[in-house]
Amino acid sequence: MISTTVDSSDTISTMVTPTPYSERLRLALSERKMSSSALAAALGISAAAVSKVLLGGSKTLSVENHVRAARILGISSEWLAEGDGDMVASAPSAIPAQAAMNSAEMELLQIYRGISPAQQEAMLAMARGLVALTKKR
Protein backbone atom coordinates (compact mmCIF):
# COMPACT_ATOMS: atom_id res chain seq x y z
CA MET A 1 0.00 0.00 0.00
CA ILE A 2 1.49 3.40 -1.00
CA SER A 3 0.51 6.65 0.67
CA THR A 4 1.66 10.12 -0.26
CA THR A 5 1.56 13.10 2.09
CA VAL A 6 2.42 16.78 1.72
CA ASP A 7 3.56 18.62 4.83
CA SER A 8 3.32 22.34 5.64
CA SER A 9 6.57 23.10 3.79
CA ASP A 10 5.21 21.44 0.63
CA THR A 11 7.53 18.45 1.02
CA ILE A 12 6.08 15.33 -0.55
CA SER A 13 6.67 12.09 1.32
CA THR A 14 5.83 8.66 -0.01
CA MET A 15 5.55 5.74 2.35
CA VAL A 16 5.09 2.11 1.44
CA THR A 17 3.03 0.23 4.02
CA PRO A 18 3.29 -3.55 3.77
CA THR A 19 0.05 -5.32 2.99
CA PRO A 20 -0.89 -7.72 5.78
CA TYR A 21 -0.87 -11.47 5.13
CA SER A 22 -4.64 -11.57 5.68
CA GLU A 23 -5.23 -9.06 2.87
CA ARG A 24 -2.94 -10.93 0.47
CA LEU A 25 -4.76 -14.20 1.24
CA ARG A 26 -8.14 -12.49 0.79
CA LEU A 27 -7.01 -11.04 -2.57
CA ALA A 28 -5.78 -14.44 -3.77
CA LEU A 29 -9.06 -16.11 -2.79
CA SER A 30 -10.99 -13.39 -4.60
CA GLU A 31 -8.83 -13.64 -7.74
CA ARG A 32 -9.30 -17.41 -7.82
CA LYS A 33 -13.02 -17.13 -6.99
CA MET A 34 -12.54 -19.54 -4.10
CA SER A 35 -14.25 -19.32 -0.73
CA SER A 36 -12.31 -19.50 2.51
CA SER A 37 -14.25 -22.65 3.43
CA ALA A 38 -13.24 -24.27 0.11
CA LEU A 39 -9.59 -23.47 0.83
CA ALA A 40 -9.97 -24.88 4.34
CA ALA A 41 -11.44 -28.09 2.91
CA ALA A 42 -8.57 -28.43 0.45
CA LEU A 43 -6.08 -27.92 3.27
CA GLY A 44 -7.91 -30.31 5.59
CA ILE A 45 -8.33 -27.67 8.30
CA SER A 46 -11.37 -26.00 9.77
CA ALA A 47 -13.03 -23.05 8.06
CA ALA A 48 -12.66 -21.24 11.38
CA ALA A 49 -8.86 -21.55 11.15
CA VAL A 50 -8.81 -19.82 7.75
CA SER A 51 -11.34 -17.23 8.93
CA LYS A 52 -9.16 -16.48 11.94
CA VAL A 53 -6.26 -15.63 9.60
CA LEU A 54 -8.50 -13.54 7.33
CA LEU A 55 -9.84 -11.59 10.31
CA GLY A 56 -6.35 -11.01 11.74
CA GLY A 57 -6.84 -13.20 14.80
CA SER A 58 -3.89 -15.28 13.63
CA LYS A 59 -1.01 -13.74 11.69
CA THR A 60 -0.52 -16.55 9.14
CA LEU A 61 -1.31 -20.13 8.30
CA SER A 62 1.15 -22.74 9.53
CA VAL A 63 4.21 -23.12 7.31
CA GLU A 64 2.91 -26.38 5.83
CA ASN A 65 -0.57 -24.98 5.15
CA HIS A 66 0.90 -21.73 3.82
CA VAL A 67 2.89 -23.62 1.17
CA ARG A 68 -0.07 -25.85 0.32
CA ALA A 69 -2.45 -22.84 0.09
CA ALA A 70 -0.08 -21.09 -2.32
CA ARG A 71 0.01 -24.20 -4.52
CA ILE A 72 -3.78 -24.66 -4.40
CA LEU A 73 -4.31 -21.00 -5.30
CA GLY A 74 -1.59 -21.04 -7.97
CA ILE A 75 0.20 -18.10 -6.39
CA SER A 76 3.73 -17.35 -5.26
CA SER A 77 4.47 -18.55 -1.75
CA GLU A 78 6.89 -15.63 -1.34
CA TRP A 79 4.23 -13.13 -2.36
CA LEU A 80 1.74 -14.61 0.08
CA ALA A 81 4.31 -14.66 2.90
CA GLU A 82 5.97 -11.29 2.43
CA GLY A 83 4.20 -9.45 -0.38
CA ASP A 84 7.38 -9.64 -2.47
CA GLY A 85 7.25 -10.03 -6.24
CA ASP A 86 4.21 -10.93 -8.30
CA MET A 87 1.18 -12.73 -6.93
CA VAL A 88 1.15 -15.31 -9.71
CA ALA A 89 3.57 -18.13 -9.05
CA SER A 90 6.36 -18.66 -11.52
CA ALA A 91 7.68 -21.82 -9.90
CA PRO A 92 7.08 -25.01 -11.88
CA SER A 93 5.71 -26.76 -8.77
CA ALA A 94 2.77 -24.35 -8.51
CA ILE A 95 -0.65 -25.48 -9.67
CA PRO A 96 -1.89 -23.25 -12.51
CA ALA A 97 -5.06 -21.27 -11.78
CA GLN A 98 -7.09 -23.36 -14.22
CA ALA A 99 -6.06 -26.52 -12.34
CA ALA A 100 -7.32 -25.22 -8.99
CA MET A 101 -10.29 -27.15 -7.65
CA ASN A 102 -13.76 -25.75 -8.12
CA SER A 103 -16.31 -25.70 -5.29
CA ALA A 104 -17.85 -29.08 -6.23
CA GLU A 105 -14.43 -30.74 -6.21
CA MET A 106 -13.68 -29.12 -2.86
CA GLU A 107 -16.98 -30.40 -1.49
CA LEU A 108 -16.19 -33.94 -2.65
CA LEU A 109 -12.80 -33.74 -0.97
CA GLN A 110 -14.34 -32.44 2.24
CA ILE A 111 -16.92 -35.25 2.24
CA TYR A 112 -14.22 -37.84 1.50
CA ARG A 113 -12.05 -36.63 4.37
CA GLY A 114 -15.01 -36.69 6.76
CA ILE A 115 -15.96 -40.35 6.32
CA SER A 116 -14.43 -43.59 7.58
CA PRO A 117 -11.76 -45.46 5.60
CA ALA A 118 -14.30 -48.14 4.64
CA GLN A 119 -16.68 -45.46 3.37
CA GLN A 120 -13.79 -43.86 1.46
CA GLU A 121 -13.10 -47.18 -0.28
CA ALA A 122 -16.79 -47.50 -1.17
CA MET A 123 -16.85 -43.95 -2.50
CA LEU A 124 -13.78 -44.63 -4.66
CA ALA A 125 -15.30 -47.87 -5.96
CA MET A 126 -18.49 -46.03 -6.88
CA ALA A 127 -16.52 -43.29 -8.67
CA ARG A 128 -14.46 -45.86 -10.56
CA GLY A 129 -17.68 -47.63 -11.57
CA LEU A 130 -19.11 -44.36 -12.92
CA VAL A 131 -15.94 -43.78 -14.95
CA ALA A 132 -16.11 -47.32 -16.34
CA LEU A 133 -19.78 -46.85 -17.34
CA THR A 134 -18.96 -43.57 -19.04
CA LYS A 135 -16.13 -45.16 -21.06
CA LYS A 136 -18.47 -47.95 -22.32
CA ARG A 137 -20.87 -45.45 -23.90
Side-chain angles (χ1 to χ4, degrees):
M1 194 175 295
I2 300 172
S3 59
T4 305
T5 58
V6 180
D7 65 19
S8 58
S9 63
D10 290 335
T11 303
I12 299 174
S13 301
T14 303
M15 185 153 83
V16 177
T17 307
T19 306
Y21 185 93
S22 60
E23 287 184 33
R24 291 189 300 276
L25 181 58
R26 188 175 289 109
L27 176 63
L29 287 167
S30 175
E31 289 287 320
R32 298 302 187 234
K33 296 176 177 39
M34 181 181 285
S35 68
S36 59
S37 58
L39 177 62
L43 294 172
I45 62 176
S46 70
V50 174
S51 291
K52 188 174 181 181
V53 172
L54 291 171
L55 296 172
S58 180
K59 288 186 179 183
T60 64
L61 294 168
S62 70
V63 173
E64 178 185 351
N65 284 328
H66 163 85
V67 171
R68 291 175 61 216
R71 285 188 179 145
I72 289 165
L73 293 165
I75 61 172
S76 162
S77 179
E78 293 78 15
W79 175 84
L80 182 57
E82 301 293 332
D84 295 336
D86 294 329
M87 179 175 86
V88 178
S90 59
S93 63
I95 298 172
Q98 62 270 21
M101 287 190 265
N102 64 36
S103 61
E105 291 166 327
M106 293 290 201
E107 183 180 4
L108 281 171
L109 179 60
Q110 189 173 19
I111 291 168
Y112 181 84
R113 288 181 174 168
I115 58 179
S116 72
Q119 291 170 322
Q120 289 174 346
E121 286 299 319
M123 185 176 174
L124 284 172
M126 184 180 67
R128 289 179 186 126
L130 287 171
V131 169
L133 281 175
T134 304
K135 287 182 180 179
K136 288 181 180 179
R137 291 182 187 184

